[in-house]
Structure formats: structure tokens, C-alpha cells
Amino acid sequence: MITLKQIVYKEISEMKERRKKETFGTYYIFYVLAIICTIITFILSIPGDEPFDIIYFYIALWSGYISLSFLYQYLYRIKENGTINNIFLKYKFIPLDMDTLFLAKIIVLARFITIHILPAQILAFIYRVYCVYKYRCNFFDPLLFIPAITGIIYFIIFTTIIYKYRRAAK
């Protein structure tokens, strides 16, 4: 039987190869949108004189969601012979526990969301330390945790989608 660690490594490498072969450019669009999302979520965490505008939060959420959806559709869909199928149906005939596969896909999802959101959160902390030192503002503020909040929202959304595909394969 395959271990969870082996499944996670296999999922990462196969997802990367599927993205390169099947996306026709969205592989690169993901990285452009990820950079835009990182910059927007960092800008949202900057304290300012004007009140927080909810439209910026929506822009950050949607740009991140679109970029992540380009990447994570390869966690639960696969293109074979010109048709797009549920990836859990492919593994149904391999001697593999579906719960272990689901857990591996959730680990891969958490890994990529962390890579996606972590730079914005680190930049937010660094800038907040600078603001505390320079302007004597408060360190802990809800705006400081916007990158982490968006990452949690993405994780919940994509976990639900993957779980839906897993249930459809039963």
C-alpha cells in the first residue's frame, strides 16, 4: 500500500505535469494573478487615514480565487482522451484508500495556499512593525490578518469542492 507521504509527492508532481500539458497558458496566468493577489492583500493590510473600503477586499478575494482556481482544478479534475473527468474516478480502480487520497489532496491544497498567501502575510507583519516603530500605531489590527483570512476562505472553498468531487466518485 502507498503511504500518505508518497501520495502527496505524487500528487504534487502529477498536478504540475498536468498543468503544463493541459492548460495552454493558464499555468503562467496563475503566477501573474498570484503576484497581483499578494500585492493587493498586502496593500489591504496597510493602515491608512481613510476608512477601509470593502471593494478592495472583494478585489483581493476574487483575484486570488481566480488564480487559485486555475491551479487547483487539477486537484479534482483530469483531462483524458479529450474529456474532463473526476480524478477520484481514475483512482477508484487502483488499490488506494479514497480517504487517504482525499487527505493527500487536502495537504497539497494547504501547501499551495500557504505558498500563495504567506508572502503577503510576512510583508504585512514587516510593514506593521515599521509602522509601530515610525508612527506609534497599534500592532494588532484586523487589517493585519487579511492575508490569513483570505487564505482560510480559499481553503474552505476548495476543500468543499474537492469533497464534493470525492462524494460524486463513490
Side-chain angles (χ1 to χ4, degrees):
M1 196 63 135
I2 301 173
T3 65
L4 180 64
K5 186 176 182 179
Q6 291 171 334
I7 295 172
V8 168
Y9 287 134
K10 186 175 188 270
E11 282 299 315
I12 290 170
S13 64
E14 282 185 4
M15 187 175 70
K16 187 175 183 180
E17 288 302 315
R18 285 195 309 263
R19 282 186 297 160
K20 285 181 181 178
K21 291 178 185 174
E22 301 171 8
T23 58
F24 303 111
T26 57
Y27 180 72
Y28 302 106
I29 292 172
F30 162 72
Y31 290 107
V32 171
L33 288 174
I35 291 169
I36 291 170
C37 180
T38 300
I39 292 168
I40 290 174
T41 52
F42 167 64
I43 290 171
L44 283 174
S45 64
I46 294 174
D49 296 333
E50 60 191 44
F52 176 72
D53 195 0
I54 198 71
I55 192 75
Y56 295 125
F57 186 67
Y58 288 142
I59 291 170
L61 278 178
W62 281 108
S63 65
Y65 178 76
I66 291 169
S67 66
L68 289 169
S69 65
F70 280 131
L71 173 72
Y72 297 128
Q73 66 182 338
Y74 296 100
L75 276 174
Y76 51 85
R77 294 190 324 193
I78 189 166
K79 189 175 181 181
E80 287 182 333
N81 301 327
T83 60
I84 297 175
N85 295 321
N86 186 344
I87 198 165
F88 287 98
L89 290 174
K90 178 183 176 184
Y91 287 108
K92 194 173 191 176
F93 304 107
I94 297 173
L96 180 67
D97 184 27
M98 284 296 159
D99 294 332
T100 307
L101 179 63
F102 177 70
L103 183 61
K105 290 193 176 294
I106 296 302
I107 290 170
V108 170
L109 174 71
R111 178 183 181 267
F112 280 111
I113 288 179
T114 303
I115 291 170
H116 192 81
I117 297 297
L118 193 63
Q121 190 65 56
I122 290 172
L123 287 173
F125 277 122
I126 291 171
Y127 187 76
R128 191 54 61 102
V129 167
Y130 171 75
C131 286
V132 167
Y133 175 73
K134 182 83 171 172
Y135 303 113
R136 304 284 186 231
C137 64
N138 292 336
F139 182 76
F140 289 106
D141 189 10
L143 293 179
L144 176 64
F145 300 105
I146 282 181
I149 292 168
T150 56
I152 291 168
I153 291 170
Y154 297 146
F155 183 76
I156 291 169
I157 290 170
F158 287 107
T159 301
T160 305
I161 292 171
I162 293 171
Y163 183 73
K164 181 186 76 162
Y165 272 80
R166 178 184 172 268
R167 298 286 293 171
K170 280 189 173 185

